[in-house]
Amino acid sequence: MSRLQALCSGLPLRPLPENRGRRAGVPHAPVRTPGLSPAEEQLALRNALRYFPPDTQELLAPEFARELRLYGHIYMYRFCPDIEMKAYPVEQYPCRTRAAAAIMHMIMNNLDPAVAQFPQELVTYGGNGQVFSNWAQFWLTMSYLSQMTEEQTLVMYSGHPLGLFPSSPGAPRLVITNGMVIPNYSSRMEYEKLFAMGVTMYGQMTAGSYCYIGPQGIVHGTVLTVLNAGRRYLGVQDLAGKVFVTSGLGGMSGAQAKAAVIVGCIGVIAEVDGAALMKRHKQGWLMEVTDSLDRCIERLREARKRKEALSLGYHGNVVDLWERLVRELDTTGELLVDLGSDQTSCHNPFNGGYYPVQLGFAEAQSLMASDPAAFKALVQESLRRHVSAINRLAQENFFFWDYGNAFLLEAQRAGDAGSPRTGADVGKTGANRTEFRYPSYVQHIMGDIFSQGFGPFRWVCTSGDPQDLVVTDQLAMSVLEEAIAGGVNPAVEQQYVDNIRWIREASQHRLVVGSQARILYSDQKGRVAIAVAFNQAIARGKIKAPVVLSRDHHDVSGTDSPFRETSNICDGSAFCADMAVQNFVGGAFRGATWVALHNGGGVGWGEVINGGFGLVLDGTQEAEQKAKMMLSWDVSNGVARRCWSGNRKAYEIICQTMQEDRGLVVTLPHEVADQRVLQRALRL
């Protein structure tokens, strides 16, 4: 029996695998502090033991209880597979359907140690973005997928494989929900308890939907963000000699170093976790590393003078870096930074997502577990200092934006003991609930892109062959070049030009980590045309195996998030989640191979509803029809919603799409031409 066959044969029980515990030399998730009562601890243990027959429970029960008390969760380390975890070529998986094999490929990529942030805790990125809640769920899911036929659908409840249910060949092969907690109980405190009891899970965005493609998944978006920030804030097309300061080199934030070099600026990225920093350095994503602030400032000055593209990792706390930049400004009069942001996992600030400047990394992890209240107070004090330094720099020609990680939201909430309602100074006069002193990148930089239907489309070559990725890159570039030649409006053409540059330079930047994947910000026309080109290339044998199409949930239609993706929706509906839910449902009956709907992601638990999909192209006519139908819906849903909220660019795009597709009929909004109509009516 091959290793993959063994992996798909169900839970290994006869005999039980050896319990090796937590492996040394592998990054591990911070200890969780769920605060379970004795009765809740019993429930957590009972829930974990449900996966195992009675004759094993006497041995496993004390082991699982120890994990719960030591780490705040039952991960079932004994069952962590003794196999090289990676995305194997799709034909090697023992399956009855190509769709199931493709899903297995994607799952194992999410857990690849080169990709995953905390692989033994099944966390892909974001500090707590789970693929599964425990290893028993992984084994059972792989077994179900190996058995699944074209007339069955696997149903996943927050990491738990409920089972295979009869369906039809046109139905999704997999339906995933993560964190669907009743709204009144969707608080952080409740989440910690529910996760510890094994009944819900935070899937982030593409962790729990099996669609993560490594840090490349956010590189393109970060490139576009920094490029467009330079255009908007600095009035430049060329970022040579400009300095971008930020923090985070973990799962998704690791993209910042690579993006800085691609756009040609100087990126200085602070990271408190030495393992995460060195991982990016060894992968070639981070050019230089220092733990000295003096050296950091010296190197920054050199690079500015020479206008060299540089990614410099500072091993230390970003607050120290910001405060040093303030000191340089106040003592020398020299502003050393042009653009700034933050990509700490601030959606999870009190459990390892944000480390306070007052403590070292190890000391902070210890306090986080031993005294959560004291740790929280230090985090909030650190956030206030963090914002204070940024505010000082922003008095000069420096521009900061929120990267949708809940940084400004948590800073606003970071009141001190004497004045708990007064957080960091991030307020804005006359602002609505989703606005702060500094804009989110959606509000100022990327919002117009979403309104035109552009978003993080991606694909994975399941053969695992780099040459297949080269072929897909060439096909995608040809599609975009043909679109420009056929005539598009100037705003769309600028996006296509940026995309062509991205694809052309992709190979030289060594973007692939894990599966042979690519991300490309594309609109509806582009996505459909690229999908058709790929499918036809598979049919002709130019691409050797199926291609999985997907996207980040952070997209045109995929996410309702009032402090990020929908922060520029101004009709009052930013806190409503109809779009994301409709997207999930609509994708399911329009041809998606799998669909996912999540609570949380990006900004955090209880703050977001988001969804995603996977679509397997296998060269058949059926696959092409599904791609045309599903991808069109996946974009036009969000553009229509933005049109109805009053966005003029979305209005223009949806009108053009209706002219081209007579099957699309959208209710168009009328403007209130005279504001005095409202004023007179309200006086009544």
Side-chain angles (χ1 to χ4, degrees), residues 85 155 184 247 279 289 335 376 415 424 454-455 464 474 520-521 534 571 575 619 652 665:
M85 191 69 71
V155 175
N184 277 357
S247 58
K279 181 177 181 177
V289 171
L335 179 67
K376 179 178 179 179
F454 284 87
Q474 291 169 345
L520 178 74
Y521 268 64
F534 287 177
D571 66 351
F575 292 87
E652 293 167 359
V665 183

Side-chain angles (χ1 to χ4, degrees), residues 262-300:
I262 292 174
V263 302
C265 73
I266 300 145
V268 184
I269 307 100
E271 172 60 63
V272 294
D273 184 351
L277 182 140
M278 292 312 298
K279 181 177 181 177
R280 297 298 172 220
H281 186 47
K282 289 175 182 175
Q283 288 173 340
W285 285 55
L286 186 63
M287 294 166 65
E288 298 178 19
V289 171
T290 181
D291 60 3
S292 164
L293 272 176
D294 288 342
R295 176 57 185 159
C296 188
I297 297 299
E298 178 187 10
R299 187 68 184 92
L300 186 160

Side-chain angles (χ1 to χ4, degrees), residues 672 674-684:
V672 176
D674 187 347
Q675 294 299 312
R676 291 173 296 180
V677 171
L678 304 179
Q679 294 163 3
R680 286 194 295 269
L682 290 170
R683 279 200 296 270
L684 296 176

Side-chain angles (χ1 to χ4, degrees), residues 312-327:
L312 174 62
Y314 168 59
H315 184 199
N317 197 291
V318 72
V319 179
D320 284 327
L321 177 58
W322 284 120
E323 290 180 341
R324 176 59 182 269
L325 290 166
V326 169
R327 197 172 90 198

Side-chain angles (χ1 to χ4, degrees), residues 28 271-275 315 352 355-356 359-366 368:
H28 289 288
E271 172 60 63
V272 294
D273 184 351
H315 184 199
Y355 283 82
L359 302 175
F361 183 63
E363 190 181 6
Q365 288 196 315
S366 176
M368 190 192 313

Side-chain angles (χ1 to χ4, degrees), residues 408-409 412 428 431-440 443 561-564 566-570 573-575:
L408 292 179
L409 183 62
Q412 183 187 56
K428 177 183 175 182
N432 64 37
R433 292 168 66 191
T434 66
E435 290 181 308
F436 299 98
R437 171 182 288 209
Y438 305 105
S440 84
Q443 288 168 329
S561 177
F563 294 100
R564 194 164 84 170
T566 48
S567 61
N568 64 337
I569 299 287
C570 300
S573 71
F575 292 87

